[in-house]
């Protein structure tokens, strides 16, 4: 599958990031099982601790619209090297994705490297552990 639209949606979301404190903009986009692409940006807060990562913004939008499975994720930040999801976001992605789900991590210039969720979150605790 060509993830060009997913990458473009992540870049577009980065452009509208709300990051007045860190000035580190992040955009994320996910392809959901309903066929739609949901995007999100980081949403910072004066308290700092209430900051929401771009990935979890996108996941909240998708799940609250009825989507339940994540088929792929793209994330891009302002780093020279690729930006990968933080630990909390990896765990939240794992709730709705498979260990072989592709996670496309972009660098500042828009070049993406693909990893699987299992590579980013080895020995994951997932919903399957509760079954
Ligand atoms: N950030 C994300 O949006 N996603 C990540 O996976 C890494 C960190 C945001 C949070 C904060 O607004 C800024 O990047 C700096 O940490």
């Amino acid at each position: 599958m060509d993830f060009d639209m997913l990458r473009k949606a992540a870049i577009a979301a980065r452009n509208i990031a709300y990051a007045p404190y860190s000035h580190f903009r992040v955009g994320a986009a996910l392809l959901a099982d309903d066929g739609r692409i949901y995007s999100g940006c980081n949403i910072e807060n004066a308290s700092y601790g209430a900051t929401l990562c771009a990935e979890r913004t996108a996941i909240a939008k998708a799940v609250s619209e009825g989507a339940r499975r994540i088929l792929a994720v793209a994330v891009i930040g302002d780093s020279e090297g690729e930006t990968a999801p933080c630990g909390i976001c990896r765990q939240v992605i794992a709730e709705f994705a498979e260990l072989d789900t592709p996670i496309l991590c972009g660098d500042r210039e828009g070049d993406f490297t693909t990893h699987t969720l299992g590579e980013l979150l080895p020995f994951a605790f997932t919903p399957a552990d509760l079954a």
Side-chain angles (χ1 to χ4, degrees):
M1 175 184 246
D2 180 9
F3 292 126
D4 199 44
M5 282 177 50
L6 200 63
R7 288 189 287 264
K8 286 195 169 112
I11 291 167
R14 184 181 61 174
N15 287 337
I16 49 174
Y18 179 73
Y21 306 108
S22 73
H23 303 289
F24 187 78
R25 305 170 308 153
V26 185
L30 65 86
L31 175 63
D33 56 347
D34 59 4
R36 289 175 59 186
I37 287 176
Y38 296 88
S39 63
C41 61
N42 52 337
I43 305 172
E44 296 189 344
N45 188 273
S47 74
Y48 286 38
T51 290
L52 195 53
C53 287
E55 299 90 322
R56 280 177 288 138
T57 302
I59 292 168
K61 286 170 67 178
V63 174
S64 63
E65 293 289 323
R68 281 295 180 271
R69 301 307 296 164
I70 294 172
L71 306 181
V73 179
V75 56
I76 186 166
D78 277 330
S79 297
E80 190 180 343
E82 63 184 272
T83 292
C86 80
I88 295 173
C89 288
R90 293 177 198 201
Q91 182 66 36
V92 176
I93 292 168
E95 186 73 18
F96 303 104
E98 308 299 325
L99 293 178
D100 63 358
T101 298
I103 314 288
L104 287 63
C105 300
D107 67 19
R108 186 157 57 202
E109 304 306 327
D111 290 324
F112 286 80
T113 306
T114 302
H115 308 274
T116 65
L117 176 63
E119 286 167 349
L120 297 180
L121 191 64
F123 204 62
F125 184 78
T126 70
D129 290 296
L130 297 176

